Amino acid sequence: MLKGKNILLGVSGGIAAYKMANVASMLVKLGADVHVVMTENATKIITKEPFEVLTKNKVYTDVFAPGTPETNYVPHIALGEAADAILIAPATANIIGKLANGIADDMLSTAVLPASCPIIVAPSMNVHMYENKIVQANIEKLRSFGFIIVEPDEGHLACGYDGKGKLPEEAELVDAVLKAVAKPHDMEGKKVLITAGPTEEALDPIRFITNHSSGKMGYALAEVAAMRGAEVTLVSGPTSIKKPYGIKIIDTVSAEDMYNAVMSEAPAQDIIVMSAAVADYTPVTTADEKIKKSDGDMSIPLKRTKDILKTLGEIRKPEQFICGFSMETENVLENSRAKLVKKNVDMICANSLRTPGAGYKVDTNIVTIISRDGMEELPIMTKHEVSDKIFDAIMKEI
Ligand code: CTP
């Protein structure tokens, strides 16, 4: 996803600097050409060598260090200018203060100044330093200049305090880079609502009715829309997938919860994609205590849930684009086209459970995109690739 992209990693002297070797490795694995600039203090926490081995590029700490032909012998200018994105993590109060005030007194603070690409800053420090009004004002100043701030996590900090200041997980930092540069931002300004995962319909405090949906398709759709610049809200059923960075997530459990969340978010949206596997039936009653077994069989009375997609089709604004999913075991295309008409939506993405490589829990899918006046049969693809195709088709229609 980062093939052909030049990423400049700026490492300053926070204790979490050691984690950046992993970030460098992850970026390299995604295809990026990674260059690393470190502050002198960062080299006291982790040496240059792991970064040089992982990135196969020279690591700079000194403005006056000799450059290479690749950097035109002026690395403090060439590195920032060549970057497609800069990630500064961990960003100490010191580097944040310098960046906010245009101070260029070492290699990292200098290399950032000539850059015109997205600059991501991940503050990480003691909670009281982080809460300091001057530090907060500097962070706000960076935001106002267009810097992307990845908020620190709360937790147990190296200094012994509990609070906000932890560097987020490495994957979250990589997600921020992906969101900034992996794809052209052709969905900038679009508000996109996506539903994902299964629903759980409780029988009693212990048992529930659910389905095999893992949420992978919906999360891939959300990540891809965010990478293409959209403002994404993800209404998620219970899943074990890592929460993606930079996406508003509303966690839901039952079909009723999901209905309520979607209805409150829907009016503001330009595009809605219902990829969740919503239960069609729910128990008539949910027992407050565990249902005890007795001799003989038992049956559970079920009632219909509200059809979220159908309701969206009824209350839709004319300019909204609504896309549903359809999971069938037979007559996939006919049944899916019938749903498009019956639910008054613009597109149905049909997938068959019977095709190997498609469906629940796997990372690939085989989808046919059915719109009002055409259809596109896609070959087997990863769920991220399918997501791109779906948004390509949607963006062509709106
Ligand atoms: N859906 C929904 N609310 C429900 C059930 C389904 O919004 N209560 C949505 C799904 O998210 C999907 C689409 O409707 O986008 C199709 O769901 P599917 O279960 O395949 O079809 P149904 O409409 O339920 O029809 P059937 O059960 O007859 O296949």
Side-chain angles (χ1 to χ4, degrees):
M1 282 195 272
L2 291 174
K3 236 192 175 102
K5 301 288 179 195
N6 181 321
I7 309 297
L8 179 59
L9 203 56
V11 184
S12 70
I15 185 75
Y18 75 94
K19 292 186 177 177
M20 298 312 291
N22 198 17
V23 173
S25 164
M26 289 162 89
L27 293 171
V28 168
K29 281 186 194 145
L30 287 166
D33 181 18
V34 180
H35 294 263
V36 178
V37 170
M38 302 174 76
T39 63
E40 279 301 330
N41 282 346
T43 63
K44 293 176 185 151
I45 295 160
I46 177 168
T47 61
K48 292 178 185 181
E49 282 72 17
F51 293 109
E52 292 191 333
V53 170
L54 290 164
T55 66
K56 314 280 180 273
N57 285 316
K58 182 175 158 75
V59 171
Y60 290 92
T61 51
D62 176 8
V63 188
F64 298 102
T68 58
E70 197 195 359
T71 53
N72 201 20
Y73 300 102
V74 197
H76 71 277
I77 305 295
L79 288 172
E81 276 186 344
D84 292 298
I86 299 178
L87 168 64
I88 300 173
T92 57
N94 186 40
I95 189 71
I96 290 168
K98 288 193 213 175
L99 294 176
N101 292 285
I103 295 169
D105 67 350
D106 66 1
M107 184 58 179
L108 178 53
S109 52
T110 308
V112 170
L113 287 184
S116 54
C117 62
I119 305 176
I120 303 155
V121 174
S124 171
M125 64 198 78
N126 162 272
V127 56
H128 297 142
M129 288 175 74
Y130 180 69
E131 285 167 353
N132 180 294
K133 285 195 179 115
I134 302 169
V135 174
Q136 284 302 315
N138 284 336
I139 291 174
E140 275 322 303
K141 202 164 165 190
L142 289 181
R143 249 193 255 276
S144 74
F145 289 138
F147 284 64
I148 300 160
I149 307 293
V150 179
E151 298 266 330
D153 283 347
E154 282 196 27
H156 188 69
L157 306 175
C159 51
Y161 284 92
D162 288 309
K164 200 166 175 179
K166 254 173 96 86
L167 189 72
E169 293 289 307
E170 289 97 312
E172 193 172 315
L173 300 174
V174 172
D175 272 358
V177 174
L178 286 172
K179 197 169 169 228
V181 289
K183 296 178 189 295
H185 282 191
D186 64 335
M187 292 176 71
E188 193 95 55
K190 296 280 178 241
K191 290 189 168 188
V192 180
L193 175 68
I194 291 158
T195 65
T199 58
E200 289 177 358
E201 308 303 318
L203 287 162
D204 66 13
I206 296 159
R207 301 148 177 133
F208 51 82
I209 300 171
T210 189
N211 57 63
H212 288 296
S213 172
S214 62
K216 284 185 174 182
M217 189 66 238
Y219 276 65
L221 283 160
E223 281 168 6
V224 166
M227 280 188 232
R228 290 172 68 154
E231 190 184 322
V232 181
T233 303
L234 176 63
V235 174
S236 175
T239 72
S240 54
I241 306 178
K242 175 186 82 67
K243 303 290 179 214
Y245 158 78
I247 291 173
K248 175 179 167 188
I249 308 225
I250 302 175
D251 285 312
T252 60
V253 178
S254 65
E256 180 75 17
D257 289 345
M258 192 172 274
Y259 177 90
N260 291 334
V262 170
M263 288 308 138
S264 76
E265 295 293 322
Q269 306 298 325
D270 301 303
I271 299 167
I272 302 175
V273 184
M274 281 288 308
S275 74
V278 187
D280 287 322
Y281 292 91
T282 191
V284 171
T285 54
T286 303
D288 289 336
E289 306 298 337
K290 183 184 172 191
I291 301 169
K292 301 296 284 179
K293 65 177 168 295
S294 50
D295 290 342
D297 300 338
M298 86 177 281
S299 57
I300 302 161
L302 300 174
K303 61 181 180 191
R304 283 292 306 270
T305 55
K306 291 177 195 144
D307 190 322
I308 306 171
L309 188 62
K310 189 158 176 286
T311 312
L312 288 170
E314 285 160 7
I315 61 163
R316 60 181 295 164
K317 293 183 188 159
E319 66 278 10
Q320 264 179 341
F321 190 96
I322 302 177
C323 172
F325 264 70
S326 159
M327 178 66 89
E328 300 285 347
T329 52
E330 56 183 359
N331 302 328
V332 178
L333 295 183
E334 300 91 285
N335 288 346
S336 302
R337 195 169 281 286
K339 266 176 215 173
L340 182 135
V341 176
K342 193 173 95 191
K343 301 197 184 191
N344 188 30
V345 297
D346 304 289
M347 189 176 277
I348 291 281
C349 298
N351 42 125
S352 167
L353 257 186
R354 297 268 183 256
T355 323
Y360 296 130
K361 296 201 164 63
V362 290
D363 290 321
T364 50
N365 210 355
I366 304 170
V367 166
T368 301
I369 300 175
I370 301 167
S371 53
R372 291 209 168 249
D373 40 40
M375 67 174 224
E376 186 185 357
E377 263 180 86
L378 302 176
I380 185 163
M381 288 176 172
T382 67
K383 287 181 175 171
H384 281 89
E385 288 165 342
V386 173
S387 303
D388 257 325
K389 291 286 183 192
I390 292 170
F391 286 121
D392 287 348
I394 293 175
M395 291 305 286
K396 245 189 248 161
E397 291 210 23
I398 59 175

